[in-house]
Amino acid sequence: MTEELVVTLSALETRFPDVVKKDERKGYEGFLVDTKNLVEVATVIRDELGYDYLSSVTGVDYLEEELLEVVYHFYRSTGGKSLVLSVQVPRKKAVVPSLYDLFISADFQEREAWDLYGIKFEGHPDLRRILMWEGFEGFPMRKDYQEAFFVEDQKPFANRWPEGKVFRSEDENQFGKNVQYPKGFDKPKKWDPEEEDLLYAGLQELGKKDSGDLATDHVVVNMGPQHPSTHGVFRMAVVLDGERIVALKPVMGYLHRNHEKIGERNTYLHNIPFTDRLDYLSSMVNNHGYVLAVEKLLGKKGAVPERAEYIRVIMSELTRVSNHLWAIGFLLNDLGAFFTPSLYAIEERELILDIFEATTGARMMNNYFRFGGVARDFPPGVLEKLNSIVFERLPRKVDELDVYLTDNEVVASRTKGVGVLSPEEAIAHGVGGPVLRASGVPYDVRRADPYSIYDRFDFDVAVRYHGDCYDRYIIRIDEIRQSLRILQQALKDIPEGPVLLKNPYNIRVPEGESYGRVEAPKGELGFYIVSDGTANPYRYHVRAPSFVNLTALEKMCVGQLVADAVVVLGSIDIVLGEVDR
Amino acid sequence: MTDEKTIEVPDEMRAQVALTNMADLVKGNLLDKPYNWGRRNSIWPMMFGLACCAIEMIATAASRYDMARFGMEVMRPSPRQSDMLIVSGTVTKKMVPQIVRLYNQMPEPKYVVAMGACASGGGPFKEGYNVVAGIDKYIPVDVYISGCPPTPQALLNGFMKLQEKIDSQSINRERWYDKEDPIEALPVPVLGPDIMDPRDYAMITKQAKA
């Protein structure tokens, strides 16, 4: 236990004797709280102990103990380690008080826990399913839920190994598809879908509050899921008064591909390529977050050689540069400058992808990090090429982008003062990364809670203070410059040596829980892992930055014009693979 | 063939000009060549991205790989104006009704390219409870492209395969413009306790009774 946590524990113990208990399970670091005291404890944590940033809320199903657990990860927005609270409720009557009133960042995450685990959050204003649709049968992340193509609880499946014979799940299913229906369901023609009704009813409520003196009719406009400006299959249901937005609800789940459920069936190593597909624009950073979480559990066994740490930092920062280039290019797309600025950004990104392809064998899905290092060293010639890109080409090209865009009148007039988010709101909504820092909160996980070897590098945390779309654009240029600084230092200092000491195919991870977080290009990316000592993670949760950042979308958009919603969304920079997982 | 005497063809152009009438043109498949040549070099894809593959699709459209070389750079956000639906990524149950609707809204002749492992057969996410194991369970697919995601080169190769397919088609055989027997719209799946394909209703009812 760290010193900081000891202090916190004693503070909590004096304040709440018998209410807050140290989690005594092997490998757990948090505190257990009763449901009835949760709100009270959370208030004290926020107001007196300074843990004002609720990063992650997630459920865990302990089937054997007949318990459902909700795990909260709190941080101080000034930096430091986490404070973990857990609440346990019986599986049959899973009701937990909602923390929505204290931390708005709990909004979507509690809805997700309701959707996937069936944990009811009392006091949540809009507890609907978020990733699946209303009317879906069952709570899929519960341990006793079995998919239509269910084979076994854990991989590798015996029927495909060791003979490796061909097995098609379709042949086993009577519909030949990935579907199953509850027993006795025989009224498909009379089925009445209800999701939209609930959504629109909630929107009407929100819209009512805002009507002024002149009674005008409101119009509901659905943007997406097939819409060129939503960066994938994202949908916004918007209530308009004229051209002004009076209410907005994001609708997601159109790319919910069950990352967590599949991740719990996989072995630990299996999961690395799956993390690539979370935020598919920055797969290296996803790898990094995941291996950090597992290495935390592994302890000494997960020690990383020096050269591998440098390679990890180099790859992560290259990813950040390429991601921000893409984000800037497509923000301009959303502003109406169709594709030309993107072409400039993609040109530079391709150079970085070439480095990735030469090193890892793939352009996007790199599958490069391993527990205790990286998969392979740079091939000959790549470091030279990297040097020329990092020291000469990219700094020049970033300046070029800066010259073209930053003082551009159209960019300024479309983005300045649009979608403003104040620092207090940003922290309460739990947003992270560039969105948080553009609101004037200098919070960067690389500095606030350093991981890997980021404490060795000299770089500034980029901050901007207006919190509008313009600052969210320009902070990405700042961050590219800082990333280039880190890259230049790392490339100068990179030592010789091995990159991976041992490549275990199937590792055994000691029991316990761990939360590994990194500063992904889009914000704080966290992996929550519970290990029960077997070859597969017992619980595998991804705290996706894009997903939580979207919590603030409504706040930023209400009162703006409908055309600005597109710009606000572009300035948050979401990736649907990560939002929906 | 028409009587050559009625239309004067200068000597120097005889090698390039063939004279015929409309009936012979259609019957002899002579129209197919210029018609297909035009179609294959101006396939307009729908601006429609699902997942990771969409990023590679955009990279293919960008200057380095340049889809414009194949006449495919005109990405249309509306299905009414597009010829090709690139299913670029994992198809989820929540999304499949929209995809079928988009497909129905496209005018004939239309083509579907299943880009990548997910769209072709579910890929790494096949077993997921919200994942459709291949878009071909719901709409017909013309070209499958392997890869996760396919590289831009692989995508271009898929487009060339599609061009080959277009080359081999004939308006005599295809039903695109058949007014007596038009191609019917596909049934749109419904989100119930699980995704329900209207074509499966009888089976679902039967299963409930069993």
Side-chain angles (χ1 to χ4, degrees):
Chain A
M1 206 195 289
T2 55
E3 219 169 278
E4 204 182 324
L5 272 180
V6 175
V7 176
T8 314
L9 176 61
S10 56
L12 279 174
E13 266 184 344
T14 39
R15 217 26 235 280
F16 300 103
D18 311 325
V19 171
V20 178
K21 284 183 257 50
K22 176 89 192 65
D23 199 338
E24 295 296 345
R25 287 170 292 178
K26 200 180 153 211
Y28 285 65
E29 276 225 326
F31 304 101
L32 282 171
V33 189
D34 264 0
T35 40
K36 57 177 189 291
N37 303 104
L38 176 67
V39 176
E40 195 188 345
V41 174
T43 316
V44 170
I45 283 173
R46 186 188 70 167
D47 297 339
E48 291 173 28
L49 300 175
Y51 287 89
D52 50 358
Y53 188 82
L54 175 58
S55 161
S56 154
V57 181
T58 183
V60 188
D61 181 11
Y62 291 101
L63 187 61
E64 271 179 30
E65 290 93 346
E66 284 286 308
L67 288 172
L68 281 172
E69 185 174 297
V70 184
V71 187
Y72 301 88
H73 285 83
F74 296 94
Y75 287 93
R76 290 191 172 110
S77 59
T78 47
K81 301 277 175 207
S82 67
L83 171 67
V84 189
L85 281 193
S86 308
V87 182
Q88 292 184 331
V89 284
R91 272 178 117 245
K92 287 195 182 107
K93 197 171 165 287
V95 186
V96 176
S98 168
L99 290 189
Y100 180 89
D101 292 333
L102 294 170
F103 303 92
I104 308 171
S105 53
D107 184 359
F108 288 175
Q109 304 193 62
E110 284 182 352
R111 275 178 69 190
E112 187 193 321
W114 157 247
D115 186 358
L116 304 181
Y117 280 99
I119 301 169
K120 211 166 194 132
F121 289 89
E122 245 174 6
H124 191 290
D126 188 25
L127 198 64
R128 285 179 292 123
R129 282 192 182 253
I130 186 164
L131 296 176
M132 303 304 288
W133 59 89
E134 211 67 49
F136 180 75
E137 177 76 17
F139 298 111
M141 280 301 290
R142 288 196 176 189
K143 284 283 172 188
D144 50 1
Y145 179 92
Q146 293 180 346
E147 306 94 319
F149 279 176
F150 176 80
V151 182
E152 246 178 280
D153 259 328
Q154 288 173 341
K155 281 182 193 167
F157 298 144
N159 64 357
R160 296 182 206 175
W161 186 83
E163 296 99 17
K165 66 180 174 191
V166 177
F167 169 84
R168 288 197 182 86
S169 327
E170 292 92 316
D171 302 338
E172 307 282 305
N173 189 305
Q174 57 171 321
F175 295 100
K177 288 177 200 164
N178 190 4
V179 289
Q180 60 185 1
Y181 304 97
K183 264 192 188 135
F185 177 76
D186 62 345
K187 44 176 185 185
K189 279 181 195 160
K190 290 179 204 144
W191 176 261
D192 182 26
E194 47 190 320
E195 177 191 31
E196 309 295 89
D197 301 348
L198 275 170
L199 168 69
Y200 294 135
L203 276 172
Q204 296 297 348
E205 275 305 305
L206 286 173
K208 264 184 205 160
K209 290 177 203 160
D210 216 275
S211 58
D213 304 334
L214 188 68
T216 45
D217 272 351
H218 290 166
V219 184
V220 179
V221 176
N222 271 299
M223 295 174 75
Q226 144 64 2
H227 191 281
S229 77
T230 54
H231 296 236
V233 282
F234 178 68
R235 175 175 153 208
M236 293 185 272
V238 191
V239 180
L240 294 178
D241 181 10
E243 256 199 281
R244 218 156 271 284
I245 299 172
V246 294
L248 178 146
K249 283 274 173 212
V251 185
M252 45 197 124
Y254 295 99
L255 192 56
H256 176 49
R257 40 191 182 183
N258 328 125
H259 187 87
E260 292 177 8
K261 187 81 177 176
I262 294 173
E264 285 170 17
R265 301 226 193 287
N266 285 344
T267 64
Y268 284 93
L269 197 65
H270 266 143
N271 269 338
I272 295 177
F274 278 87
T275 59
D276 284 338
R277 286 155 181 81
L278 278 171
D279 173 357
Y280 33 77
L281 285 167
S282 42
S283 46
M284 292 277 199
V285 181
N286 304 340
N287 283 181
H288 202 168
Y290 175 63
V291 296
L292 271 184
V294 177
E295 279 163 6
K296 239 187 210 175
L297 281 170
L298 283 172
K300 274 187 195 149
K301 257 177 26 189
V304 184
E306 194 77 342
R307 186 176 172 84
E309 288 281 22
Y310 273 90
I311 294 182
R312 282 182 178 189
V313 168
I314 290 171
M315 288 309 194
S316 297
E317 293 310 313
L318 280 176
T319 307
R320 194 181 317 278
V321 173
S322 75
N323 178 80
H324 283 347
L325 284 169
W326 187 275
I328 292 168
F330 280 81
L331 174 65
L332 266 288
N333 234 9
D334 293 341
L335 286 172
F338 183 66
F339 223 43
T340 310
S342 311
L343 288 177
Y344 282 88
I346 293 171
E347 189 188 358
E348 306 312 310
R349 180 175 175 266
E350 287 286 338
L351 292 174
I352 295 172
L353 293 193
D354 280 351
I355 305 270
F356 288 170
E357 194 171 8
T359 314
T360 71
R363 282 160 52 86
M364 279 169 66
M365 305 306 171
N366 306 109
N367 186 15
Y368 183 54
F369 288 41
R370 295 288 181 275
F371 308 121
V374 292
R376 53 188 82 78
D377 208 336
F378 289 120
V382 165
L383 267 176
E384 291 75 48
K385 200 175 165 200
L386 197 51
N387 273 315
S388 82
I389 292 177
V390 167
F391 285 94
E392 289 155 31
R393 182 163 173 132
L394 277 176
R396 198 176 72 233
K397 288 289 173 178
V398 174
D399 290 346
E400 206 174 84
L401 264 184
D402 201 3
V403 168
Y404 288 152
L405 302 179
T406 305
D407 295 328
N408 185 305
E409 210 170 293
V410 180
V411 173
S413 62
R414 281 296 306 277
T415 55
K416 275 189 180 166
V418 172
V420 178
L421 195 67
S422 74
E424 295 78 27
E425 285 164 354
I427 292 171
H429 283 86
V431 300
V435 185
L436 182 63
R437 291 192 287 274
S439 291
V441 184
Y443 189 83
D444 187 322
V445 183
R446 291 175 294 176
R447 266 290 152 72
D449 184 10
Y451 56 94
S452 191
I453 51 165
Y454 275 106
D455 45 359
R456 295 186 199 170
F457 297 109
D458 180 24
F459 68 99
D460 300 326
V461 175
V463 198
R464 294 274 167 169
Y465 296 94
H466 296 102
D468 55 3
C469 289
Y470 186 73
D471 275 12
R472 284 196 283 278
Y473 144 71
I474 204 163
I475 200 160
R476 294 202 160 86
I477 299 246
D478 296 345
E479 283 193 13
I480 294 177
R481 293 214 169 100
Q482 296 305 327
S483 288
L484 288 176
R485 266 177 82 186
I486 297 175
L487 277 168
Q488 288 168 353
Q489 293 166 48
L491 282 170
K492 272 184 198 143
D493 299 346
I494 183 166
E496 290 298 320
V499 293
L500 185 61
L501 298 175
K502 204 174 135 213
N503 188 8
Y505 172 67
N506 209 353
I507 50 162
R508 293 249 164 208
V509 177
E511 284 170 55
E513 65 170 0
S514 109
Y515 185 67
R517 57 175 194 154
V518 291
E519 182 68 31
K522 297 180 172 67
E524 178 193 324
L525 173 68
F527 286 86
Y528 176 71
I529 291 168
V530 176
S531 162
D532 58 353
T534 59
N536 309 61
Y538 185 78
R539 173 75 177 113
Y540 168 69
H541 171 68
V542 186
R543 186 265 187 208
S546 309
F547 179 64
V548 184
N549 285 359
L550 276 178
T551 319
L553 180 69
E554 187 182 351
K555 178 83 211 158
M556 289 190 232
C557 285
V558 169
Q560 308 287 337
L561 300 180
V562 66
D564 292 335
V566 173
V567 183
V568 171
L569 188 70
S571 76
I572 300 178
D573 182 23
I574 57 163
V575 150
L576 265 295
E578 195 177 61
V579 173
D580 296 341
R581 281 153 291 144
Chain B
M1 293 299 242
T2 17
D3 192 3
E4 282 189 30
K5 276 173 195 163
T6 54
I7 300 166
E8 283 274 316
V9 178
D11 282 344
E12 68 272 22
M13 285 186 72
R14 283 194 185 249
Q16 284 98 42
V17 174
L19 290 173
T20 178
N21 60 24
M22 201 61 193
D24 287 343
L25 202 61
V26 173
K27 208 166 72 193
N29 294 340
L30 286 173
L31 201 58
D32 287 339
K33 222 164 187 174
Y35 186 57
N36 287 343
W37 175 81
R39 290 198 302 127
R40 83 198 288 275
N41 292 316
S42 62
I43 305 175
W44 290 7
M46 196 189 317
M47 191 189 279
F48 171 64
L50 280 174
C52 334
C53 288
I55 306 297
E56 285 297 56
M57 186 176 78
I58 295 167
T60 315
S63 44
R64 190 181 193 182
Y65 299 99
D66 199 9
M67 258 153 72
R69 291 177 295 159
F70 299 84
M72 295 174 185
E73 79 279 21
V74 195
M75 290 255 194
R76 298 278 91 184
S78 162
R80 304 277 184 206
Q81 300 169 332
S82 29
D83 307 304
M84 171 167 62
L85 173 66
I86 306 172
V87 185
S88 52
T90 316
V91 184
T92 60
K93 290 177 185 171
K94 201 169 174 177
M95 191 63 197
V96 88
Q98 278 83 337
I99 298 178
V100 174
R101 244 181 233 130
L102 285 170
Y103 176 81
N104 283 340
Q105 286 169 358
M106 287 167 69
E108 293 280 359
K110 55 189 169 188
Y111 300 94
V112 178
V113 174
M115 180 184 182
C118 292
S120 303
F125 301 98
K126 179 177 174 181
E127 70 210 61
Y129 50 84
N130 191 27
V131 175
V132 170
I135 187 63
D136 56 2
K137 301 270 189 301
Y138 293 91
I139 57 176
V141 175
D142 295 279
V143 178
Y144 298 87
I145 304 171
S146 61
C148 187
T151 55
Q153 293 93 329
L155 183 60
L156 289 178
N157 186 49
F159 291 156
M160 280 146 83
K161 284 278 164 228
L162 182 64
Q163 290 187 327
E164 278 173 32
K165 175 164 184 167
I166 292 174
D167 281 339
S168 71
Q169 288 181 317
S170 161
I171 40 175
N172 282 336
R173 294 194 301 270
E174 305 297 333
R175 282 175 52 210
W176 310 317
Y177 311 119
D178 197 336
K179 277 179 195 148
E180 273 99 61
D181 185 18
I183 303 171
E184 285 199 10
L186 292 173
V188 178
V190 180
L191 293 173
D194 206 325
I195 187 108
M196 300 187 292
D197 191 334
R199 292 172 292 197
D200 286 347
Y201 279 173
M203 254 163 93
I204 298 171
T205 320
K206 210 173 108 192
Q207 183 214 261
K209 279 176 190 145

